[in-house]
Amino acid sequence: MKHDTIATYAFPPGGLPGQDGDPEGTAILTEAYAVIPAHVMRDIVTSFLPGWTGTRAWILARPMTGFAETFAQYAVELAPGGGSDDPEPDHAAQAVIFVAHGEARLALGGDSHELRAGSYAYIPASAVWTIWNTGDAPCGFHWIRKRWTPAPGITPPDAFVTHESDVPRMEMPDCDGVWSTQRFADPLDLRHDMHVNIVSIESGGRIPFAETHVMEHGLYVLSGHGRYLLNKDWVEVGPGDFMWLRAFCPQACIATGDETFRYLLYKDVNRHPALSLK
């Protein structure tokens, strides 16, 4: 199936709703999952980060005991000229950056990369990096952080920078091409203990079974609409909505509407589970 490149990616809207807004909303927090809709990602819930200038961040997920414990996920907005020369406070943390809009310059391991909408960067633990907005408009990017887990005989992954248009969509088996995944890291490369991929489901397509597995998930909807099964509930989601799933939460979806349903997906992989609680 031929796919068109998507030129736009959802990002938190900011601002503040008018007084005619419905305060009940559609946000959900349960023991198995959370849904943070785009319309609640407003100015008053942002944070300003130490070591960053001209920057605000929506912190969408952080490790929580008894829920999802492996990762943190942010949507970061850089004002023109904003950024950081010392962005990561935890030297054990690896990261993925995915740019939703605007322009930025990423200096990573002695190399400089010009980022634009659709750019993807993997940043290993202990890497030296900086990022600055080089454009005249705000730059928004998704930032996912996880501590890298060492394993015997395994060395840390190498840094890389690419663009989603250069990463092929791999069609899932027996689905007539309506369900595909862009895998930015080789699934068989055991150096990677997290994957951040883009999943695409054409209108009417579906994940045809309730996945139930050990991996935690952060899912940020980049475009399109879907009905998502989360535990026992079917939830309507669309551009900019975020879903946060603990391990073993049953999950499936059906793409609705006319546009391809696409989301940025985090999962932890390729390591033995610890046999004691920390």
Side-chain angles (χ1 to χ4, degrees):
M1 176 178 290
K2 187 180 186 302
H3 304 283
D4 295 329
T5 299
I6 302 297
T8 59
Y9 310 89
F11 198 74
L16 190 67
Q19 286 293 296
D20 58 348
D22 181 1
E24 181 177 358
T26 57
I28 305 170
L29 175 62
T30 75
E31 293 181 352
Y33 71 90
V35 177
I36 305 177
H39 66 78
V40 306
M41 300 180 196
R42 300 297 184 167
D43 293 355
I44 61 173
V45 297
T46 57
S47 292
F48 302 100
L49 303 174
W52 293 72
T53 61
T55 301
R56 63 178 183 171
W58 288 267
I59 299 178
L60 303 177
R62 67 169 179 85
M64 289 175 57
T65 300
F67 191 71
E69 302 183 353
T70 62
F71 74 108
Q73 185 158 344
Y74 307 40
V76 179
E77 184 179 79
L78 305 179
S84 178
D85 282 328
D86 189 18
E88 177 53 70
D90 186 340
H91 292 296
Q94 61 190 318
V96 162
I97 284 175
F98 182 77
V99 179
H101 63 83
E103 300 174 348
R105 177 174 295 119
L106 173 70
L108 175 59
D111 295 323
S112 182
H113 304 273
E114 302 300 323
L115 307 182
R116 68 187 195 281
S119 290
Y120 180 110
Y122 171 75
I123 302 171
S126 300
V128 177
W129 59 286
T130 69
I131 188 166
W132 291 93
N133 183 346
T134 55
D136 297 328
C139 174
F141 64 89
H142 301 281
W143 181 19
I144 299 170
R145 304 169 59 228
K146 178 189 180 297
R147 285 183 175 172
W148 185 73
T149 305
I154 302 293
T155 59
D158 298 323
F160 65 87
V161 179
T162 186
H163 191 274
E164 77 115 332
S165 61
D166 296 323
V167 178
R169 298 190 190 185
M170 306 301 294
E171 296 181 357
M172 305 299 285
D174 303 319
C175 69
D176 297 323
V178 300
W179 175 20
S180 61
T181 301
Q182 288 166 278
R183 297 185 174 98
F184 292 84
D186 182 351
L188 300 181
D189 185 347
L190 297 186
R191 297 178 302 168
H192 288 278
D193 68 349
M194 76 169 183
H195 290 164
V196 179
N197 300 326
I198 294 177
V199 176
S200 298
I201 304 176
E202 305 302 323
S203 181
R206 64 190 58 201
I207 296 176
F209 68 106
E211 298 183 35
T212 309
H213 52 63
V214 70
M215 293 172 285
E216 299 176 351
H217 280 332
L219 298 89
Y220 191 95
V221 181
L222 298 174
S223 63
H225 293 82
R227 294 179 61 235
Y228 223 97
L229 174 65
L230 300 170
N231 199 11
K232 298 180 180 180
D233 307 318
W234 284 96
V235 178
E236 302 284 343
V237 293
D241 292 344
F242 178 71
M243 292 169 278
W244 185 15
L245 282 61
R246 66 178 296 173
F248 301 108
C249 176
Q251 60 203 261
C253 75
I254 300 172
T256 58
D258 298 327
E259 187 179 3
T260 303
F261 181 54
R262 307 185 78 209
Y263 53 87
L264 191 69
L265 171 70
Y266 160 86
K267 60 182 178 181
D268 51 306
V269 293
N270 297 344
R271 291 295 185 270
H272 290 288
L275 297 182
S276 60
L277 297 178
K278 298 178 181 178

